[in-house]
């Protein structure tokens, strides 16, 4: 088991590798099958956003501890255009790309902790954590 890992998100095949690595790490952490799928889905949406809106980025995958609890943390970063209005971007159905506008809002619901930092011209940093129960 090699964590933490820093994975590139520069192509569709990178997104596949991110999904696979997140799944494997989620199993290592002891997440239930349902929670594995939730965090893999969130990872997929966030990776796709980095690819589509920022032209690429990277994700750090790490195992974290809180007392005896173990969790899986993903830190997505990109140096793209950034998000001018974060609240708006987190609204169900809001999109600038002709998508469903559910990637960010859905991802937030699928994890236990969600933090989005972004500003125009300064890229985007999204940290999500899923705790094992
Ligand atoms: N990494 C990013 N950099 C810049 N803008 C972003 C980034 N991620 C999301 N956004 C902006 O936030 C909006 C909402 O993202 P979200 O993933 O919720 O919806 P979407 O990608 O448009 O559609 P989908 O439901 O297919 O994911 C995007 O349309 C885009 O404007
Ligand atoms: Mg999206």
């Amino acid at each position: 088991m090699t964590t933490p890992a820093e994975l590139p998100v520069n192509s569709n095949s990178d997104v596949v590798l991110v999904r696979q690595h997140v799944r494997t790490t989620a199993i290592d952490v002891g997440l239930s099958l349902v929670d594995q799928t939730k965090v893999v889905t969130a990872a997929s949406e966030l990776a796709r956003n980095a690819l589509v809106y920022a032209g690429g980025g990277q994700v750090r995958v790490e195992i974290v501890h809180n007392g005896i609890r173990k969790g899986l943390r993903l830190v997505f970063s990109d140096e793209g255009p950034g998000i001018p209005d974060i609240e708006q971007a987190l609204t169900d159905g809001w999109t600038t790309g002709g998508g469903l506008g559910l990637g960010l809002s859905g991802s937030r619901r699928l994890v236990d902790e969600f933090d989005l930092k972004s500003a125009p011209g300064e890229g985007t940093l999204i940290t999500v954590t899923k705790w094992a129960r």
Side-chain angles (χ1 to χ4, degrees):
M1 185 172 75
T2 50
T3 51
E6 186 94 23
L7 306 178
V9 184
N10 293 319
S11 66
N12 285 318
S13 54
D14 284 348
V15 176
V16 174
L17 293 175
V18 167
R19 288 176 63 98
Q20 288 171 349
H21 190 79
V22 169
R23 172 75 69 177
T24 304
T25 311
I27 292 168
D28 288 344
V29 166
L31 293 184
S32 69
L33 185 56
V34 168
D35 283 351
Q36 290 168 32
T37 301
K38 286 181 178 177
V39 76
V40 169
T41 302
S44 193
E45 291 297 329
L46 298 174
R48 197 155 297 287
N49 280 351
L51 192 58
V52 170
Y53 299 109
Q58 50 276 317
V59 57
R60 183 178 166 87
V61 181
E62 57 190 10
I63 294 175
V64 290
H65 297 84
N66 177 3
I68 59 164
R69 250 174 139 195
K70 270 190 177 182
L72 172 56
R73 181 164 293 158
L74 308 174
V75 184
F76 284 87
S77 55
D78 67 60
E79 278 86 61
I83 300 174
D85 186 335
I86 291 169
E87 207 180 316
Q88 188 178 47
L90 280 164
T91 303
D92 280 350
W94 195 82
T95 178
T96 62
L100 292 175
L102 289 173
L104 285 178
S105 55
S107 296
R108 176 157 67 166
R109 288 190 288 267
L110 290 171
V111 297
D112 296 317
E113 294 168 26
F114 183 98
D115 181 68
L116 198 173
K117 291 186 170 63
S118 187
E122 290 183 19
T124 298
L125 182 69
I126 301 176
T127 305
V128 302
T129 308
K130 192 81 182 166
W131 294 104
R133 282 144 229 290

